[in-house]
Amino acid sequence: MEVLSVGSGTGVAGLMVGSVYGILRSQRPVLFASVYGLQCFAAGTVFWGSRSTALWGWATEHPTSTQKVLATTQAGALTGGLLNLVQRGRRHIIISMLTTGFLAGSIQGLSNFSQPLKLGTALQDTKSKFRSIASSQWSPVKSLSDEEYVSVIKERILKLDVEIALVEDSIKDYQGKVASNDSSTHSGSPPE
């Protein structure tokens, strides 16, 4: 069932992409979108089915990253070869299998690399890497302890208080000048 759900998802995605492309480029957008959706459904079903079968063949509950890469590469090559066979015939089938297998395996390898098994140690490693970079003399970022952070914040608050006091003084001076100008204007003779 998982194979059909993945195939359905890729089919719906293909239907949407095919409808947009069909509206832009084809004289029969409904037919184009339908055919494109069916092709994507077939590709997703074949890919996920062959990958699942390869992983099931190794009969391990938790496949290793190498097994995942190999299964994905095989599934990509099979899917690319079948799509090329359906669309173009036997011409360039080897190149298509090599290209899609390589792309699928590379993407699976990058996915394995970006999702480490132990997330807690990965976070600790990231924190220690950041601290080592921050403690470097060439780094524009500095790692602060809690006490250092509090003192920096207090200094900034003090500077803001001083600036606010200066602005308030200049406002009072301006209001005093305006008041003195108003009083000197009104104390003179009335206009004729």
Side-chain angles (χ1 to χ4, degrees), residues 27-164:
Q27 293 180 0
R28 297 182 185 106
V30 174
L31 179 65
F32 186 85
S34 301
V35 169
Y36 199 76
L38 284 174
Q39 285 178 346
C40 288
F41 171 77
T45 304
V46 168
F47 176 79
W48 202 256
S50 58
R51 182 181 183 274
S52 299
T53 303
L55 289 174
W56 177 77
W58 280 306
T60 59
E61 189 172 323
H62 300 289
T64 64
S65 60
T66 305
Q67 290 173 337
K68 288 180 183 178
V69 169
L70 288 175
T72 305
T73 303
Q74 292 170 359
L78 178 65
T79 304
L82 288 176
L83 284 176
N84 187 57
L85 187 65
V86 169
Q87 292 176 350
R88 299 181 183 170
R90 293 186 308 191
R91 197 172 145 202
H92 303 297
I93 194 168
I94 301 296
I95 293 171
S96 174
M97 289 178 76
L98 290 174
T99 303
T100 54
F102 175 74
L103 286 174
S106 299
I107 291 169
Q108 180 66 53
L110 288 173
S111 174
N112 291 347
F113 180 73
S114 67
Q115 296 176 354
L117 294 175
K118 297 179 181 176
L119 190 59
T121 57
L123 290 175
Q124 289 175 355
D125 291 344
T126 304
K127 287 180 181 180
S128 64
K129 286 178 187 177
F130 176 75
R131 289 188 191 269
S132 67
I133 290 171
S135 64
S136 170
Q137 66 179 352
W138 303 105
S139 175
V141 180
K142 183 181 176 188
S143 179
L144 299 175
S145 67
D146 290 341
E147 295 83 21
E148 290 173 330
Y149 182 73
V150 168
S151 68
V152 167
I153 294 297
K154 284 183 180 180
E155 286 179 24
R156 289 185 182 178
I157 290 174
L158 182 63
K159 286 180 183 178
L160 286 174
D161 288 341
V162 168
E163 288 181 19
I164 289 171

